Amino acid sequence: MAMISTLLVANRGEIARRITHTCRRLGVSTVAVHADPDADAAHVAEADAAVRLPGTALADTYLRVDALVGAALTAGADAVHPGYGFLAENAEFARAVIDAGLIWVGPAPDTMTAMAAKTEAKRIMAEAGVPVLDAVDPAAVPEGSWPLLVKAVAGGGGRGMRVVRTPDALPDALAAAGAEAEAAFGDPRVFCEPYVERARHVEVQILADTHGTVWALGERDCSLQRRHQKVLEETPAPGLSDEVRRRLHRAAVTAARATDYTGAGTVEFLLAPDGRFSFLEMNTRLQVEHPVTECVTGVDLVELQLLVAEGHALPPAPPAPRGCAVEVRLYAEDPARDWRPSPGVLHRLDVPGVTARFACAPGGTAAAGPDGLRLDAGVTDGETVGVSYDPLLAKVIAWAPTRDAAARRLAHALARARVHGPTTNRELLVRALRHPEFLAGRVDTGFLDRHHGTLTSRPAAEQEAERLSALAAALADAAANRAAAPVLGTLPGGWRNVPSAPAHKRYRSAATEHEVRYRLTRAGLAAEDHPSVRLLDLAPHRVVLESAGVRRAFEVTVHGEQVYVESSLGAVALTALPRFPDPEPPTTPGSLLAPMPGTVARVAAAPGDRVTAGQPLLWLEAMKMQHQINAPATGTVTEVLVRTGQQVDLGAPLAVVTPRDTAATPPPRGAAQDPATTAPRVPSPGHDRPAPPAEHSRAAHQEADT
Amino acid sequence: MTVLRSALDVNGAEYAANRRIALDRLAALEAEHATAVGGGGPRYVERHRGRGKLLVRERIELLLDPDSPFLELSPLAGWGSEYPVGAGLVTGIGVIEGVECMITGNDPTVRGGATNPWTLRKALRADEIALANRLPLVNLVESGGADLPSQKEIFIPGGALFRDLTRLSAAGIPTVAVVFGNSTAGGAYVPGMSDHVVMVRGRSKVFLGGPPLVKMATGEESDDESLGGAEMHARTSGLADYFAVDEPDALRQARRVVARLCWRKAGPPVSPAPVRPPRYDEDELLGIVPEDLKAPFDPREVIARVVDGSDFDEFKPLYGPSLVTGWARVHGHPVGVLANAQGVLFSPESQKAAQFIQLANQRDIPLVFLHNTTGYMVGRQYEQGGIIKHGAMMINAVANSRVPHLSVLLGASYGAGHYGMCGRAFEPRFLFAWPSAKAAVMGPQQLAGVLSLVARQSAAARGKPYDEDADAAVRAAVEQQIEAESLPLFLSGRLYDDGVIDPRDTRTVLGLCLSAVHGAEVRGVRGGFGVFRM
């Protein structure tokens, strides 16, 4: 029986930190690896030792097998944990680790190979008696099989995946999915299967040792997805009959046995509204959402992975789960703007009421209490969320004896959290957790699409919260200005012996612009748009207002132009607009500006091309997402300013399209301030969302990665 | 520390009556200020905005640091005259990029921003303050030049405007001109004499002679832009240092100019110790001064609501008790305070004041004078006691003192008492009046009474009967006229003060002015007084 003394964690971010956390408790030394942009990342600082993977590109760093194995050997590791994503399901990597004489924390490479090819995996499962969806031959789609789902054979993360509703759309979808799969996985093969409407994504956590014991450690419902990526996961899956649950668990154990599985893995099923389910795929690794299982069972899955890898036997039966756990993924992305990634500096992430980090109990021990709040953050305060990696900031998990209690606790913690930095999906998560349909347990993969409007729009109460928060921001700024004044700092702020106009500040929120007019008079606050608001206390970081008879404290934090206001009305992020608009270099009318920083993945237009409105011209890739830039109008491409592989900043000009009838297309006013106006794929705040183009259709949430 | 104890009965009838009258007077003052803010009236304001221009006070607001205070000076200039209240010019002290500056701006909605005699006096007063206190001067220029019908009152003395600009520059006090519109003929020398000039694209118009005049003089055909546009001055003549694309850009650039002055005040820095507010509510200042100024009030009640922590160390409290003298701080700045207590100044009060002023000069401490005096005592006993000598000592000390003086007229300021308490002619750095103040050679009743007595004696000497009815009518008329001419609005309109202030703002105004006076070196005179007649 081997014993692991030093573990190389071949990953980064949240999962690397989480593995290190368990290792520290067990007394296992850890070795981190890092690409150059991650040199100062938390996962590096927290490990006992670290090895640099020179370079920035994934292929040179976290995806480079020889460098990772070399790092393990150099640092004296005796085992390698791949985490999830990157090379976690790469059999070649597993083999290289084993060939180097190291312990691979995961299943046998052959199992991984078998499960990696989706068509092969389905064949094995069908043979073992696990229900599967039959593939459809795209060349001969039977009547009544629509809609179809096109998927990449080597797929994952929703890439190379398309929902196709009509036969005429199929050829384009196959080509586009193939191209995307080729770019993402180096394998252009795709296949088709029936698309199940209103399906749920339910998966079973399995754990198997080398002595023949296979656990089905409860199931998870991961139906809330965006762009085929999971956003919210919970256990147990709500509303399952004991019979369905038993059958699911049994099917998962069958699947594990059919592949001689060892270690932790997940068998994913598609659950139709009628209770029938079919095998989707098997993830031969730890899942992102594994903490919900840990929080109800009290096990530490990483600890058990190491135990199995060392050759130990599991107890004969898994611990019985107790209570309910819900996890949300806090992403640096803007759900209202087509989930656009939002890179930047994370100044502060502080979730109130957290009882444990990277574990379910404060001491890091596995034993979880009957309720709690867990935070697994990949980014620490001050770190930059770059464009190179997944935009996951943190996972927040609440557990309690009931589902309602867990959801309420999680929603409250998120609503009151300080998330200072990139735009996040926090509000969407809070609204989803408080949505009556969610609370009734009616979840399916279409949930986020169906409710996208209500989940991303601000109800009236929140608009009022924003207005008051903007007022608090302006007043806190006044106090800060007074405190920092080199002269006359002790005089009353904004004092006038002959008053003419109130002080005037402007803030922009995600939804709208707020103009705050106020005067601080002898009698107190005079704000014309807030006649019933009284100012009770004022300091640079804390403002106490009484509005309609209710007293509330507003905490105000400023990072450059960004202002974050937290109160019992919720968290509001504002951008302070400058007093003097910077005279910007004028942008050529018809310019297409980058809606986000990223890398140019592909350019499909050349100067002189005649294009029609909405025609894709180029693609940007950032944070694992591809964004298509379309022609804003019918006309001629007069300039292409970027080439494939080029890094571009937010707002960088990409190309210029001169409309055929210039008079009919007014030049984009203020384009430099709001790139959205010239990149029509990205709606401006406050405007109706345009119909998402096919490649981003959020209907295709049949399957999700990690 | 020595905290003053207030004996003010804020629940009493007297307090309530005093407060009521004070609020009435403040409402009247506010109405006059609103008139000045209204500029040339809605029609001209709309026309100005219609041209895409900012109002003068909007320009100033954008120029100032956000949330910083601004003290407007002489807002009532021209009150009671044939010219609009405010005289079409805004002047005041404000903070730009952390630097206290004197800011002046023409109000182009008032007769095109033309300079009338009161505009001139107001502008010259602003220059005087900038020079005495070493405040950088920022001019926001948009003026049609002299108000031609009153040119006789303006043309000859008006040259001082240009003289002051270059003298400020020579003294190392920066001058900045931001030209928003017309600045032609003589007005062209405002940017011409300034250290730094910002002009606005398509707006600034700076030339000695416009197209018609040029056509008349030389026959040359020209236009505004080629003669004096911002583009031309920025690219060709070099008169403009900074070219702004619009008004906000001009103000932004003016702020950058001030930021790059790297300005340092010459006076000692204010104490870093935290500033304690007064122990008593400033609001209660409204209930102290009675309507009838013949009834004295205790100025310590005012001091207790103005100075830091109500902390006041009185000098010679038992000697010459009709004048309160002592040391305090206002917003951290040390001050010596002289305040009239019983109205009349006797010999001991005068001697005490002279000594106190000398002490402040030895210690380089600014002085604050709180006026409520009917003048120096008259009568045989006092004349024989040397009241003239002693009054002269006090006036000598005030006149030759070199520490900054700030005067506030709370109530009466009559006769030579006005001089001894550093009236306008004694050049206090700043002088403000409460709405309750009155200043004249003597009280209206006394003055009318004196005239009546003299007339009666004259009639008696000529052996004529005295017409009592006519006397009563004349007395009433004289009393009314003197009363009207003693009031703060009238005196402020004639630039005899720097503004009428809300009593509750006294601490703020003094704090701002004390900080401003520290722009210049604060150094008292050592020796240097006139001969003290002992």
Side-chain angles (χ1 to χ4, degrees):
Chain A
M1 203 139 307
M3 177 149 141
I4 298 171
S5 61
T6 301
L7 180 73
L8 179 118
V9 183
N11 217 303
R12 65 180 299 283
E14 168 263 325
I15 187 59
R17 297 184 72 194
R18 187 257 169 276
I19 294 165
T20 300
H21 192 274
T22 289
C23 287
R24 193 178 293 159
R25 178 169 61 81
L26 299 179
V28 174
S29 300
T30 52
V31 178
V33 290
H34 69 88
D36 288 339
D38 277 343
D40 299 321
H43 81 269
V44 177
E46 289 167 0
D48 295 310
V51 177
R52 174 185 172 217
L53 304 172
T56 305
L58 284 177
D60 298 336
T61 56
Y62 298 111
L63 295 182
R64 188 163 160 186
V65 171
D66 62 340
L68 290 164
V69 174
L73 294 172
T74 310
D78 41 29
V80 173
H81 194 305
Y84 56 70
F86 293 151
L87 295 174
E89 293 180 279
N90 187 301
E92 211 184 300
F93 179 49
R95 269 188 208 103
V97 168
I98 294 165
D99 290 350
L102 305 172
I103 296 173
W104 168 251
V105 183
D110 288 345
T111 308
M112 296 168 66
T113 306
M115 292 300 109
K118 297 203 170 179
T119 44
E120 172 69 2
K122 282 166 86 167
R123 190 189 56 75
I124 294 170
M125 292 304 156
E127 274 178 13
V130 177
V132 296
L133 282 174
D134 291 325
V136 177
D137 179 2
V141 182
E143 201 66 31
S145 302
W146 302 96
L148 285 185
L149 185 65
V150 182
K151 291 161 73 171
V153 170
R159 296 227 264 189
M161 200 183 290
R162 297 284 189 286
V163 175
V164 186
R165 298 190 177 271
T166 56
D168 54 315
L170 187 57
D172 282 353
L174 288 169
E180 205 171 293
E182 161 96 77
F185 316 110
D187 179 352
R189 286 179 300 150
V190 295
F191 66 99
C192 298
E193 61 182 27
Y195 177 68
V196 181
E197 307 264 14
R198 287 237 167 196
R200 287 169 65 178
H201 176 118
V202 178
E203 61 186 28
V204 179
Q205 174 70 51
I206 55 167
L207 197 67
D209 65 16
T210 50
H211 306 275
T213 302
V214 179
W215 287 0
L217 203 53
E219 80 287 346
R220 296 183 286 253
D221 186 302
C222 311
S223 298
L224 266 61
Q225 302 178 357
R226 59 100 177 110
R227 285 187 172 181
H228 327 293
Q229 286 205 327
K230 298 167 188 168
V231 170
L232 182 152
E233 304 99 342
E234 57 179 313
T235 188
L240 288 197
S241 68
D242 290 346
E243 170 59 19
V244 171
R245 178 169 290 121
R246 251 196 314 275
R247 278 171 41 218
L248 273 169
H249 291 193
R250 206 181 306 131
V253 171
T254 304
R257 291 201 187 283
T259 53
D260 290 331
Y261 201 86
T262 53
T266 299
V267 188
E268 299 191 338
F269 297 98
L270 199 63
L271 178 65
D274 61 6
R276 284 188 298 177
F277 60 87
S278 47
F279 170 83
L280 271 179
E281 64 174 346
M282 183 158 178
N283 296 133
T284 55
R285 54 172 163 80
L286 201 62
Q287 297 279 90
V288 176
E289 59 272 23
H290 74 275
V292 291
T293 302
E294 294 184 331
C295 291
V296 297
T297 59
V299 303
D300 181 332
L301 284 168
V302 171
E303 179 183 2
L304 293 177
Q305 279 187 300
L306 299 181
L307 189 94
V308 168
E310 287 174 328
H312 294 285
L314 291 170
R322 115 187 125 147
C324 297
V326 185
E327 172 187 282
V328 290
R329 301 189 189 183
L330 188 63
Y331 282 116
E333 66 180 16
D334 188 350
R337 291 189 169 198
D338 218 18
W339 314 98
R340 184 203 291 179
S342 160
V345 176
L346 179 75
H347 302 292
R348 188 163 186 206
L349 173 63
D350 174 26
V351 182
V354 164
T355 56
R357 288 164 203 273
F358 302 111
C360 300
T365 54
D371 59 68
L373 188 68
R374 167 172 170 176
L375 176 68
D376 285 23
V379 188
T380 48
D381 293 359
E383 264 188 76
T384 300
V385 182
V387 295
S388 313
Y389 308 110
D390 190 90
L392 178 65
L393 292 179
K395 306 182 300 200
V396 191
I397 306 101
W399 70 100
T402 66
R403 183 173 182 266
D404 283 352
R408 181 171 68 188
R409 181 163 186 176
L410 187 53
H412 185 254
L414 279 174
R416 302 304 296 274
R418 290 187 171 90
V419 188
H420 299 169
T423 303
T424 69
N425 61 342
R426 174 247 295 265
E427 262 115 45
L428 174 119
L429 296 173
V430 172
R431 292 182 196 126
L433 285 165
R434 290 174 174 165
H435 198 284
E437 230 176 85
F438 173 81
L439 292 174
R442 291 203 301 274
V443 287
D444 64 73
T445 54
F447 182 89
L448 288 187
D449 281 332
R450 202 159 56 244
H451 301 295
H452 189 272
T454 49
L455 293 176
T456 53
S457 68
R458 319 214 106 199
E462 288 189 23
Q463 286 167 25
E464 179 60 17
E466 249 187 42
R467 288 178 68 244
L468 279 174
S469 297
L471 175 65
L475 295 171
D477 180 54
N481 283 336
R482 299 311 297 141
V487 293
L488 304 179
T490 58
L491 266 65
W495 178 85
R496 301 285 182 271
N497 57 330
V498 182
S500 55
H504 173 221
K505 285 172 187 165
R506 291 182 309 136
Y507 294 91
R508 192 175 57 220
S509 71
T512 183
E513 196 176 306
H514 295 276
E515 203 158 349
V516 184
R517 294 172 182 279
Y518 66 92
R519 275 192 66 208
L520 295 170
T521 69
R522 190 172 283 111
L525 172 71
E528 54 193 66
D529 298 322
H530 299 275
S532 71
V533 174
R534 292 204 306 135
L535 175 63
L536 303 182
D537 196 15
L538 178 60
H541 298 294
R542 189 165 184 273
V543 180
V544 182
L545 297 175
E546 186 194 277
S547 171
V550 182
R551 176 193 169 116
R552 290 185 191 89
F554 294 78
E555 304 289 336
V556 181
T557 312
V558 178
H559 290 284
E561 292 169 0
Q562 302 307 313
V563 187
Y564 303 94
V565 186
E566 280 101 19
S567 71
S568 64
L569 294 169
V572 173
L574 299 165
T575 304
L577 298 175
R579 278 174 101 194
F580 301 98
D582 245 349
E584 292 259 351
T587 310
T588 315
S591 289
L592 291 161
L593 307 178
M596 58 179 177
T599 309
V600 179
R602 191 174 145 218
V603 179
D609 286 1
R610 302 293 299 262
V611 292
T612 52
Q615 179 180 333
L617 301 182
L618 51 91
W619 287 261
L620 281 187
E621 187 165 303
M623 292 176 151
K624 292 172 72 183
M625 290 288 166
Q626 280 214 358
H627 292 257
Q628 179 177 308
I629 310 295
N630 297 345
T634 299
T636 310
V637 177
T638 43
E639 270 183 279
V640 175
L641 302 155
V642 292
R643 56 193 154 65
T644 306
Q646 186 177 331
Q647 288 271 344
V648 293
D649 287 331
L650 174 72
L654 303 171
V656 180
V657 175
T658 304
R660 195 170 49 200
D661 181 5
T662 312
T665 316
R669 245 183 75 79
Q673 280 84 20
D674 184 6
T677 48
T678 43
R681 285 223 42 261
V682 185
S684 349
H687 287 78
D688 289 333
R689 295 166 45 77
E695 85 289 355
H696 282 160
S697 170
R698 286 177 307 279
H701 293 166
Q702 186 141 339
E703 185 169 336
D705 182 31
T706 60
Chain B
M1 86 183 260
T2 314
V3 176
L4 285 169
R5 275 174 196 278
S6 175
L8 191 66
D9 177 10
V10 296
N11 298 311
E14 204 182 326
Y15 174 90
N18 295 347
R19 184 180 165 83
R20 203 160 37 243
I21 187 88
L23 285 171
D24 287 349
R25 285 173 175 150
L26 280 175
L29 175 67
E30 231 170 80
E32 296 303 330
H33 282 165
T35 307
V37 170
R43 194 174 136 220
Y44 290 97
V45 166
E46 279 320 302
R47 194 171 76 176
H48 185 76
R49 285 190 195 280
R51 292 172 177 160
K53 292 182 161 204
L54 295 169
L55 299 176
V56 60
R57 283 181 179 77
E58 292 171 342
R59 289 172 182 163
I60 292 172
E61 293 289 344
L62 271 176
L63 185 62
L64 296 172
D65 288 353
D67 304 301
S68 64
F70 179 64
L71 174 65
E72 201 174 315
L73 298 166
S74 324
L76 300 175
W79 190 93
S81 76
E82 62 197 285
Y83 299 99
V85 173
L89 181 74
V90 180
T91 65
I93 298 171
V95 184
I96 304 170
E97 294 282 357
V99 179
E100 291 148 297
C101 295
M102 171 60 71
I103 299 163
T104 75
N106 302 109
D107 186 344
T109 69
V110 180
R111 303 183 190 174
T115 297
N116 65 48
W118 297 110
T119 319
L120 177 62
R121 290 181 69 170
K122 184 166 173 175
L124 292 176
R125 173 63 187 149
D127 291 350
E128 195 175 285
I129 293 171
L131 192 59
N133 303 292
R134 298 189 65 82
L135 300 175
L137 175 68
V138 181
N139 273 311
L140 307 181
V141 186
E142 182 169 14
S143 166
D147 174 64
L148 291 177
S150 57
Q151 67 83 28
K152 66 178 188 298
E153 306 289 348
I154 304 165
F155 170 63
I156 290 171
L161 285 175
F162 312 125
R163 176 205 69 196
D164 283 353
L165 279 175
T166 190
R167 282 190 180 166
L168 282 162
S169 179
I173 301 167
T175 53
V176 182
V178 189
V179 186
F180 291 94
N182 279 321
S183 182
T184 59
Y189 289 107
V190 173
M193 315 270 357
S194 294
D195 290 352
H196 307 273
V197 176
V198 183
M199 291 196 195
V200 184
R201 179 172 66 193
R203 301 284 191 191
S204 306
K205 213 193 277 185
V206 184
F207 42 61
L208 293 182
L213 195 145
V214 170
K215 171 88 173 152
M216 286 303 293
T218 66
E220 186 189 6
E221 292 288 347
S222 57
D223 59 62
D224 286 352
E225 271 303 304
S226 67
L227 286 176
E231 238 7 282
M232 188 286 282
H233 282 307
R235 293 180 195 282
T236 312
S237 79
L239 179 59
D241 306 312
Y242 303 95
F243 176 76
V245 298
D246 55 21
E247 291 200 14
D249 189 36
L251 294 160
R252 184 186 65 81
Q253 296 204 42
R255 286 178 54 79
R256 294 312 304 153
V257 169
V258 175
R260 293 293 179 190
L261 295 176
C262 304
W263 189 245
R264 272 180 316 206
K265 295 168 76 171
V270 67
S271 154
V275 168
R276 283 164 294 123
R279 294 279 184 100
Y280 302 97
D281 193 347
E282 288 172 320
D283 192 63
E284 293 164 0
L285 288 167
L286 295 185
I288 295 173
V289 182
E291 183 176 14
D292 182 356
L293 292 179
K294 281 196 293 247
F297 59 86
D298 187 348
R300 292 176 194 83
E301 297 292 357
V302 175
I303 296 167
R305 287 162 181 82
V306 168
V307 303
D308 294 356
S310 305
D311 182 6
F312 184 65
D313 285 300
E314 203 167 333
F315 169 76
K316 278 195 163 149
L318 303 179
Y319 183 81
S322 185
L323 181 76
V324 174
T325 54
W327 310 105
R329 284 180 181 267
V330 176
H331 282 286
H333 298 282
V335 288
V337 180
L338 298 94
N340 306 109
Q342 298 295 329
V344 186
L345 291 162
F346 299 91
S347 288
E349 280 75 10
S350 308
Q351 289 170 306
K352 173 172 155 181
Q355 185 188 357
F356 188 69
I357 292 166
Q358 288 185 74
L359 288 173
N361 275 271
Q362 292 289 47
R363 314 280 177 260
D364 303 328
I365 295 173
L367 290 170
V368 173
F369 297 82
L370 302 177
H371 295 228
N372 183 30
T373 177
T374 50
Y376 292 95
M377 193 60 196
V378 294
R380 189 181 306 125
Q381 182 195 340
Y382 304 103
E383 300 287 6
Q384 290 180 358
I387 186 70
I388 296 174
K389 288 196 307 183
H390 298 131
M393 283 175 80
M394 181 172 170
I395 296 170
N396 177 349
V398 166
N400 291 300
S401 162
R402 288 285 170 273
V403 293
H405 296 173
L406 306 177
S407 279
V408 183
L409 276 56
L410 312 180
S413 188
Y414 290 135
H418 176 72
Y419 304 155
M421 291 297 286
C422 200
R424 188 60 146 182
F426 290 76
E427 299 178 338
R429 296 286 180 89
F430 294 95
L431 186 150
F432 295 95
W434 283 12
S436 48
K438 283 178 192 170
V441 64
M442 61 185 80
Q445 276 177 304
Q446 290 82 348
L447 195 144
V450 169
L451 285 181
S452 164
L453 280 177
V454 172
R456 197 182 296 273
Q457 282 165 7
S458 165
R462 280 177 281 143
K464 291 190 175 165
Y466 194 63
D467 182 344
E468 290 295 340
D469 289 349
D471 177 74
V474 169
R475 277 175 73 147
V478 168
E479 206 177 310
Q480 206 177 1
Q481 183 205 333
I482 300 303
E483 168 79 13
E485 292 174 0
S486 319
L487 291 178
L489 293 183
F490 176 83
L491 297 172
S492 201
R494 303 178 76 79
L495 273 296
Y496 286 141
D497 61 35
D498 294 312
V500 183
I501 60 169
D502 185 327
R504 297 169 292 184
D505 284 336
T506 306
R507 172 177 166 76
T508 300
V509 171
L510 288 178
L512 191 146
C513 292
L514 282 165
S515 184
V517 301
H518 283 75
E521 198 188 13
V522 175
R523 191 164 173 77
V525 67
R526 309 281 198 265
F529 290 99
V531 172
F532 284 114
R533 195 175 279 280
M534 297 296 178

